[in-house]
Amino acid sequence: MSTTTPSHRRDTTTRRAAGPAGDAPCGHRTQAPSGRSARTLRAGPGRPRSRRIAYLYLAPALALYTAFVVLPWLHTMWLSFFDWDGVTVGTGAGLANYREVLTDPALRSSIVHALGFIGFYSLLPIALGLLLAAVIGGRGGRRHPVSRTVLFLPQIIPLVAVGVTWKWMYSTDGIVNQALRAVGLGSITRAWLGDFTWAYVAVGLVGTWVMLGLCLIVFQAGIQKIDSSLYEAARLDGAGPVQEFFAVTLPGLRAEIGVALTITVISALASFDVVYVTTGGGPGDSTTVPGVLIYRLAFTNGEVGAACALAVVLSALIALIVLAISRITREKT
Amino acid sequence: MSARSPRRTAAMCALLVAATGLTACNGLTPGGGTKSAATSGPVSTALPTGNATLTVVSSENAGTTKALAEAFHAKHPNITVDFQYTGPDDYDKSLNLKLSSDNAPDLALLNKLGTTVKGNLVRDLDPYTRAYGWDTKYPSSQLDQWRASDDGKQLGTGHLWAAPAGFSVVGVYYNKEIAAKLGIGVPKTRAEFEAALAKAKAAGELPVQLGNLQGHSSFVVQSIVDSVDGAAKTGDWVNGKQGSTVDTRGGADAATTLSDWAKKGYLPEGANGTDLPGSVAAFTKGSGLFLFDGSWDAQVIDKAAPGKVGFLPFPGADAASKATGIGTSVAYAIPAKSKNPDLAAAFLDFMNTPEAAQIQFSTGFLPVAHADQVKAPANSVMNEVTAAWGKVNTDNGLVNFFANTDATMNDTLTSQGQQLIGGKTTPDAYLAALQADWLKGHQ
């Protein structure tokens, strides 16, 4: 049974596939053996008709992608070569916007801040997520649905609301300082978002809080996929939970770590909402990120060309880093 | 077959290019498609006799414009006012698009002139000023704030682009309970003000409440600059008059004073991490002898601490010094593409009636005219705000906000003010940064 069914199915597929190809422009081919015709079809990309059909299937997605991703992106690149305030007639600026963007010290420090956020948005949540996934989301993982839901909640809250909430929590009389006072640490309380040393860390930890749930869910799903016999084997070999984690769970989650790293690194580099709402880049310029500067350039300063140039530079940087991440994870697997 | 592929690719590219509008000549340059409507022609002060609708877009949420619109409709039942509100942040971002659309509103609130004048988006109001005699009905300092040269760079002179619909003024609120407890009278001079700060500090009270997360230390700085240098000189700088500088005696005094206050502990520890509403809430709960803030918060303060708070213009060198105040108006412009400009102008003229004055006042603004006729409940801080406003106007001491001088000044004031309070920059560097921003914006 088990051997005949698939072969039957394959036959049917071949025959069905042969049909349209056989009816193709040259009528005499209908007589050709079905096997050969199917082979020709499989070599398909060269055949105009099948290509046309393939494009037809791709068309809706391609049209949407072109309209809402490709064209705006090209438009952004186009605008980056102009000196334009968004209203009056722009003038060509050549590469001046790029020169301005790449030599501005404020911009360089904002990129350093964004790179630093990778620690808070990516590394910390991934490390904590792995730990939590191993502890609460291990084999058979439905044991802690409540804590999993609670940890995932930040992901479904709009980031602006997240920012507003944390702004209150970090304020002079906010819950963070109340908690510190309650445990006798009143001496270190401060308005966290107004402190030149701590504002950056405070904002970064909001990112950790948001990203942790996502990492946890991804890793937990990955753990369910790991062959249980590996855990049994590890246990038979006398591995404890820690050894089991490093020998089985961690290697098994390599692909998931790659996914989590990609998503979180993008949100670290493209971060805007949380920073804009909590500190607006301050105090001083201690938490400015490229996203905030792009917004300021375009909407406050009326330098749309420079904003677009910065956006192009930022997306190129993100693309490079994501490419590097995917290469590294591919080499490992 | 092999030839098909490149052809198709070429066709796709052509399609792409056509769709981006790169082939159309006027699409090549951004903003090239915008055409300004003709704004000349005779004007009339007569109202339409048939039914008409006046469209107003605004980011003012105190209810003032809405109440004025209702009063206008009650007076002229054949005219309906369609009031459309958008939150302040989104409003400024989308305003230029609204103004340049074919369905442009008849009146649009301007928070600042921005690029509206340069972009030919608003109508020159000079013909209406002459027709209605606004130049005699308003103090010149009030209308001048909305005058600008045709490129929009030099403010305070040139054509009138918007008419005021209610003012705000920034001054100093003080906690009467703390002052009475410490035996501090209302300071009439700068020296008395500083003495009051020292006395409060010595008694363990916070001298000045401040929220600087969004850069409101600029109120302190500008109050001092205005009072030391005088309204005319500071006004020139704010208006972008060529050759002006903020690095003056007043500027140095202001920056040094703010830095000193921070060092002496006159300002709250978490000032840089507290926003303006946060500082107002703390002030009404009794934290801080003084608070530099605008009349827009008078009602909130009245509600939270009724009868406990007073208001004064920032004191000058001696009791005879002219009063100064930071302030501007909510102002409405008539878009160049408005279809009912005469009707819009009639509504603007309605703003300076006694009836409108009471509406503006009771919704939290200082009236554009007839300030002497409006009434607030006894014991309300609004009475002291009105008195201060009257004094500032008599002395011609109103100066527009530093933050309004150019597009980027608000960000610079915020960042630099935070650094000055945090001890990360010096008063000299602070002034230099402000002046650098000013030069960039007014060249």
Side-chain angles (χ1 to χ4, degrees), chain A residues 168-241:
Chain A
W168 289 336
M169 287 166 55
Y170 278 136
S171 70
T172 314
D173 296 314
I175 201 161
V176 172
N177 284 333
Q178 287 176 19
L180 286 172
R181 277 184 208 113
V183 296
L185 289 171
S187 58
I188 64 161
T189 58
R190 64 196 74 214
W192 295 93
L193 296 173
D195 190 287
F196 278 86
T197 315
W198 290 98
Y200 183 74
V201 177
V203 174
L205 287 174
V206 178
T208 308
W209 181 77
V210 171
M211 289 301 159
L212 178 58
L214 177 78
C215 293
L216 175 64
I217 295 285
V218 170
F219 297 150
Q220 212 178 356
I223 287 178
Q224 309 308 312
K225 190 196 69 182
I226 297 173
D227 194 342
S228 58
S229 60
L230 289 175
Y231 284 97
E232 276 164 36
R235 230 162 286 148
L236 286 175
D237 286 344

Side-chain angles (χ1 to χ4, degrees), chain A residues 5-247:
Chain A
T5 318
S7 81
H8 272 305
R9 209 178 277 147
R10 202 183 302 132
D11 285 353
T12 330
T13 326
T14 316
R15 233 174 285 135
R16 262 196 221 127
D23 294 335
C26 323
H28 65 271
R29 280 216 188 148
T30 31
Q31 301 308 317
S34 66
R36 199 179 148 186
S37 147
R39 214 180 307 137
T40 338
L41 185 70
R42 241 176 260 127
R47 289 184 67 85
R49 169 135 191 173
S50 57
R51 271 186 72 166
R52 233 174 284 147
I53 290 168
Y55 278 124
L56 201 65
Y57 281 120
L58 283 176
L62 194 67
L64 286 176
Y65 186 78
T66 309
F68 295 108
V69 180
V70 177
L71 291 185
W73 190 72
L74 287 175
H75 193 222
T76 302
M77 285 187 60
W78 178 248
L79 288 178
S80 71
F81 298 111
F82 282 90
D83 189 8
W84 187 42
D85 61 10
V87 188
T88 55
V89 180
T91 48
L95 290 172
N97 286 327
Y98 286 93
R99 246 193 316 275
E100 185 194 330
V101 151
L102 293 173
T103 52
D104 188 356
L107 171 88
R108 278 203 297 268
S109 72
S110 79
I111 288 186
V112 171
H113 293 152
L115 290 173
F117 271 157
I118 293 178
F120 290 103
Y121 277 69
S122 307
L123 306 184
L124 212 52
I126 287 175
L128 289 173
L130 283 170
L131 188 71
L132 280 171
V135 173
I136 72 169
R139 305 293 308 159
R142 299 255 161 113
R143 282 176 295 168
H144 300 275
V146 175
S147 37
R148 202 177 44 194
T149 310
V150 168
L151 285 165
F152 192 68
L153 265 180
Q155 275 289 319
I156 62 166
I157 302 174
L159 283 177
V160 172
V162 167
V164 171
T165 314
W166 279 90
K167 197 165 139 185
W168 289 336
M169 287 166 55
Y170 278 136
S171 70
T172 314
D173 296 314
I175 201 161
V176 172
N177 284 333
Q178 287 176 19
L180 286 172
R181 277 184 208 113
V183 296
L185 289 171
S187 58
I188 64 161
T189 58
R190 64 196 74 214
W192 295 93
L193 296 173
D195 190 287
F196 278 86
T197 315
W198 290 98
Y200 183 74
V201 177
V203 174
L205 287 174
V206 178
T208 308
W209 181 77
V210 171
M211 289 301 159
L212 178 58
L214 177 78
C215 293
L216 175 64
I217 295 285
V218 170
F219 297 150
Q220 212 178 356
I223 287 178
Q224 309 308 312
K225 190 196 69 182
I226 297 173
D227 194 342
S228 58
S229 60
L230 289 175
Y231 284 97
E232 276 164 36
R235 230 162 286 148
L236 286 175
D237 286 344
V242 177
Q243 280 165 309
E244 192 182 284
F245 174 77
F246 282 107

Side-chain angles (χ1 to χ4, degrees), chain A residues 46-48 51-52 55 62 66 70-71 74-75 78-79 82 84-91 100 167 171-172 191 193-197 276-279 282-285 295-296 299-303, chain B residues 1 4-5 8 12 16 19-20 22 27-32 34 89 93 96 112 115 118-121 213-214 269-275 407-408 411 414-416 418-424 440:
Chain A
R47 289 184 67 85
R51 271 186 72 166
R52 233 174 284 147
Y55 278 124
L62 194 67
T66 309
V70 177
L71 291 185
L74 287 175
H75 193 222
W78 178 248
L79 288 178
F82 282 90
W84 187 42
D85 61 10
V87 188
T88 55
V89 180
T91 48
E100 185 194 330
K167 197 165 139 185
S171 70
T172 314
L193 296 173
D195 190 287
F196 278 86
T197 315
Y276 187 75
V277 173
T278 51
T279 64
D285 297 318
Y295 184 82
R296 273 192 206 163
F299 294 111
T300 313
N301 305 12
E303 298 178 44
Chain B
M1 215 165 74
R4 291 182 77 114
S5 226
R8 196 175 298 142
M12 288 276 282
L16 262 174
T20 39
L22 304 188
L28 266 173
T29 311
T34 329
D89 282 352
K93 266 81 196 173
N96 284 343
K112 56 187 173 205
T115 45
K118 195 175 153 206
N120 283 326
L121 295 173
L213 184 66
Q214 294 144 336
E269 196 70 31
N272 277 344
T274 310
D275 57 13
T408 51
D411 289 333
T414 304
S415 160
Q416 290 294 319
Q418 288 168 345
Q419 294 183 44
L420 190 60
I421 286 178
K424 303 279 172 187
K440 204 177 152 203

Side-chain angles (χ1 to χ4, degrees), chain B residues 174-187 192 195-197 199-200 203 205 289-290:
Chain B
Y174 66 97
N175 185 318
K176 288 179 174 172
E177 283 187 339
I178 299 178
K181 194 179 77 186
L182 304 180
I184 296 170
V186 179
E192 285 179 27
L197 298 180
K199 204 165 181 180
E205 294 286 350
L289 173 59
F290 295 113

